[in-house]
C-alpha cells in the first residue's frame, strides 16, 4: 500500500505442549509444504511476501542500551516507514488499568508484575487444549527465526516497532474446531501483582476478542517485544495482542488465556460502556465516539493533528473482512 513499505520480519511462532505435541506439529507449515502450496494459505501469503522482502536483509540489531532482554528478529511485512514514536513515550505514556488509570501509572507501578515464568492456557473449541509455558511456545519461533519486527501505527497514536509473531500461526497450531467462531483473550488476574484490580473501575480480569477471520489476518500479531527487546511490563509483558487497524483497547496485555469460542465474547470496554465501545472497534473517522470526534488524531510527540485514516490506514489488508457490514452498527 502506498506509503507503507513491505518490510518483513519474521518471527515466529511457536507453541509447544510439553508432552504430546511434537516439533513437527508445531512448526510452521512452510517448512513442510512446497512454496506453491504454502502460498495458498493466508498466512503463507504474508510469510512469503515477508521472506521475499527480507532477502539479503540480515537480522536487525537492536539498541543494546534499552531495558529488557534483547530479541532477534527479522523485518516483517506491512511495516510502516513512518517515524517511530520515541521509546520513552512508548514506555511511559500507557493505558494499563491494572496498574492505575493515569497514563504514567503503568510505568511507575508495573514493576510488581512477575512475568517469568509465564504460562498460557489454550482452551475451548480446539484440539490442543492445555497450559503451555510461554518459553516453550516461543522457542520454535526463535529457533526458526520466525520472529518479526513490524513497525505499526497504533490508533492512539504512536508508531511502535513491535517484535512478535502472527496470531494466525498460533491459531493454526491450536487446531480450532469448526465451532470456533471467535478467539477470546484474558489478562492475568492477580490483585497482588496488579494492584489496580483492587479498584472496580473495570470488571476484572480484562477480556478481549476477535472474530476468527480477524484473528487469522496477517496483521494481527502477538507481540513479545518492542524496540528489539522484551516488552516492558507497562506495555503488556510478557505477551500482548496488537491489532493495528483497531482502537487501542483491543490490544489486550499480559495474556494468560486464549480460548476458542462459538459466541462473540463480551470485551471489557463494551461491557463497561456499551454505548461508547463495541466489539469491532475498527478505526473509523466517520463514526464518532459519543463524547468526542474520531476524525482526527494527534500523534504523540507531534504538534498538529492529522486526519485519522479508515482502518488506521490498513484498509488494503483488512477492509474486505467487513464488506457489507454496517460499520455504524458494528462499531
Ligand atoms: N489488560 C489490559 N490491556 C489493555 C488495557 C488495560 O487497561 N488492561 N488498556 C488498553 C488500552 S485502552 C490501550 S490504548 C492500550 C495501550 O497500550 P500501550 O500502553 O502499550 O500503548 O492497551 C490496551 N490493553
Ligand atoms: Mo485506549
Amino acid at each position: 500500500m502506498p506509503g507503507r513499505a513491505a518490510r518483513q520480519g519474521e518471527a515466529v511462532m511457536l507453541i509447544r505442549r510439553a508432552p504430546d505435541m511434537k516439533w513437527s506439529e508445531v512448526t510452521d507449515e512452510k517448512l513442510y509444504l512446497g512454496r506453491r502450496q504454502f502460498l495458498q494459505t493466508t498466512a503463507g501469503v504474508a510469510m512469503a511476501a515477508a521472506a521475499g522482502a527480507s532477502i539479503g536483509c540480515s537480522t536487525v540489531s537492536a539498541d543494546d542500551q534499552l531495558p529488557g532482554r534483547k530479541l532477534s528478529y527479522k523485518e516483517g511485512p506491512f511495516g510502516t516507514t513512518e517515524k517511530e514514536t520515541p521509546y520513552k513515550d512508548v514506555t511511559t505514556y500507557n493505558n494499563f488499568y491494572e496498574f492505575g488509570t493515569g497514563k504514567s501509572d503503568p510505568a511507575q507501578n508495573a514493576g510488581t508484575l512477575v512475568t517469568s515464568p509465564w504460562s498460557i492456557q489454550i482452551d475451548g473449541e480446539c484440539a490442543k487444549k492445555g497450559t503451555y509455558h510461554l518459553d516453550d511456545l516461543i522457542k520454535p519461533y526463535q529457533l526458526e527465526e520466525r520472529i518479526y519486527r513490524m513497525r505499526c501505527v497504533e490508533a492512539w497514536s504512536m508508531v511502535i516497532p513491535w517484535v512478535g509473531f502472527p496470531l494466525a500461526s498460533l491459531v493454526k497450531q491450536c487446531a480450532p474446531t469448526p465451532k470456533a467462531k471467535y478467539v477470546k483473550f484474558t489478562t492475568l488476574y492477580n490483585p497482588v501483582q496488579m494492584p489496580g484490580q483492587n479498584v472496580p473501575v473495570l470488571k476484572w480480569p480484562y477480556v478481549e476478542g476477535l472474530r476468527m477471520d480477524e484473528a487469522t489476518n496477517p496483521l494481527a500479531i502477538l507481540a513479545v517485544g518492542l524496540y528489539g527487546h522484551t516488552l516492558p511490563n507497562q506495555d503488556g509483558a510478557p505477551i500482548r495482542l496488537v491489532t493495528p487497524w483497531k482502537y487501542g483497547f483491543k490490544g489486550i496485555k499480559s495474556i494468560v488465556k486464549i480460548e476458542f469460542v462459538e459466541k462473540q465474547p463480551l470485551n471489557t470496554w463494551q461491557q463497561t460502556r456499551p454505548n461508547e465501545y463495541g466489539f469491532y472497534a475498527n478505526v473509523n473517522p466517520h463514526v464518532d465516539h459519543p463524547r468526542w470526534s474520531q476524525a482526527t488524531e494527534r500523534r504523540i510527540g507531534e504538534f498538529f493533528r492529522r486526519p485519522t485514516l479508515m482502518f488506521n490506514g490498513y484498509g488494503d489488508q483488512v477492509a474486505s473482512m467487513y464488506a457489507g457490514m454496517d460499520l455504524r452498527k458494528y462499531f
Side-chain angles (χ1 to χ4, degrees), residues 94-98 156 187 206 235 240 248-249 251-253:
N94 298 98
N95 267 338
F96 200 169
Y97 280 18
E98 284 84 340
W156 73 305
T187 293
Y206 198 95
D235 287 279
R240 60 91 54 84
F249 67 86
I252 181 170
K253 298 177 168 184

Side-chain angles (χ1 to χ4, degrees), residues 62-71 73 82-94 103 106-107 149 151 156-163 224-237 240 253 300-301:
D63 179 349
D64 286 332
Q65 309 305 313
L66 299 177
R69 199 159 34 81
K70 207 169 152 182
L71 297 166
Y73 55 86
E82 289 192 48
K83 190 166 163 282
E84 288 166 359
T85 301
Y87 180 86
K88 188 156 191 292
D89 293 328
V90 173
T91 58
T92 57
Y93 185 86
N94 298 98
K103 306 288 183 232
R149 178 171 80 153
R151 186 192 286 177
W156 73 305
S157 150
M158 302 195 188
V159 178
I160 303 180
W162 298 107
V163 179
V224 294
L226 53 79
Y227 271 95
H229 291 249
T230 48
L231 289 175
N233 289 358
Q234 60 268 34
D235 287 279
R240 60 91 54 84
K253 298 177 168 184
I300 305 300

Side-chain angles (χ1 to χ4, degrees), residues 15-300:
I15 204 173
R16 179 169 176 209
R17 177 190 191 144
D20 65 45
M21 263 175 110
K22 291 215 247 19
W23 183 260
S24 58
E25 294 173 319
V26 303
T27 301
D28 192 271
E29 65 185 38
K30 92 177 150 171
L31 300 177
Y32 296 97
L33 301 181
R35 180 176 161 84
R36 204 173 194 161
Q37 270 172 293
F38 175 62
L39 281 172
Q40 290 166 352
T41 69
T42 309
V45 173
M47 297 274 197
S54 62
I55 284 173
C57 159
S58 55
T59 299
V60 188
S61 65
D63 179 349
D64 286 332
Q65 309 305 313
L66 299 177
R69 199 159 34 81
K70 207 169 152 182
L71 297 166
S72 59
Y73 55 86
K74 293 181 182 167
E75 283 301 329
F78 310 131
T80 172
T81 52
E82 289 192 48
K83 190 166 163 282
E84 288 166 359
T85 301
Y87 180 86
K88 188 156 191 292
D89 293 328
V90 173
T91 58
T92 57
Y93 185 86
N94 298 98
N95 267 338
F96 200 169
Y97 280 18
E98 284 84 340
F99 298 104
T101 55
K103 306 288 183 232
S104 56
D105 289 344
Q108 272 164 31
N109 303 331
T112 46
L113 177 64
V114 179
T115 59
S116 177
W118 190 269
S119 43
I120 296 194
Q121 188 189 347
I122 304 290
D123 208 353
E125 291 294 337
C126 70
K128 308 287 183 179
K129 287 189 227 216
T131 300
Y132 302 85
H133 284 294
L134 180 62
D135 291 346
D136 290 337
L137 276 179
I138 289 175
K139 201 175 287 159
Y141 293 101
Q142 287 171 332
L143 292 174
E144 293 160 22
E145 301 200 326
R146 285 188 295 132
I147 299 276
Y148 302 90
R149 178 171 80 153
M150 266 184 38
R151 186 192 286 177
C152 297
V153 180
E154 293 299 301
W156 73 305
S157 150
M158 302 195 188
V159 178
I160 303 180
W162 298 107
V163 179
F165 51 89
L167 171 59
S169 310
L170 182 65
V171 167
K172 191 176 168 71
Q173 302 308 334
C174 295
T177 72
K179 278 188 174 169
K181 301 282 188 266
Y182 297 88
V183 186
K184 177 180 171 185
F185 304 87
T186 307
T187 293
L188 175 70
Y189 178 71
N190 185 325
V192 174
Q193 293 182 29
M194 296 179 145
Q197 289 177 335
N198 293 303
V199 186
V201 275
L202 297 177
K203 183 157 181 270
W204 311 108
Y206 198 95
V207 166
E208 259 305 337
L210 293 174
R211 211 169 59 188
M212 209 58 167
D213 58 338
E214 300 179 313
T216 52
N217 185 287
L219 257 191
I221 61 179
L222 285 171
V224 294
L226 53 79
Y227 271 95
H229 291 249
T230 48
L231 289 175
N233 289 358
Q234 60 268 34
D235 287 279
I239 184 164
R240 60 91 54 84
L241 180 66
V242 175
T243 47
W245 72 101
K246 293 178 179 285
Y247 289 115
F249 67 86
K250 296 299 284 185
I252 181 170
K253 298 177 168 184
S254 306
I255 297 166
V256 292
K257 195 177 191 188
I258 298 178
E259 271 171 287
F260 295 89
V261 297
E262 243 184 306
K263 300 235 167 63
Q264 183 176 294
L266 184 60
N267 48 310
T268 295
W269 277 104
Q270 185 185 11
Q271 176 169 37
T272 308
R273 296 206 199 120
N275 60 326
E276 298 185 23
Y277 304 101
F279 174 77
Y280 287 95
N282 293 319
V283 173
N284 188 341
H286 314 301
V287 177
D288 288 336
H289 183 282
R291 291 182 285 132
W292 56 77
S293 160
Q294 299 202 122
T296 66
E297 65 196 56
R298 192 177 71 85
R299 209 116 322 139
I300 305 300

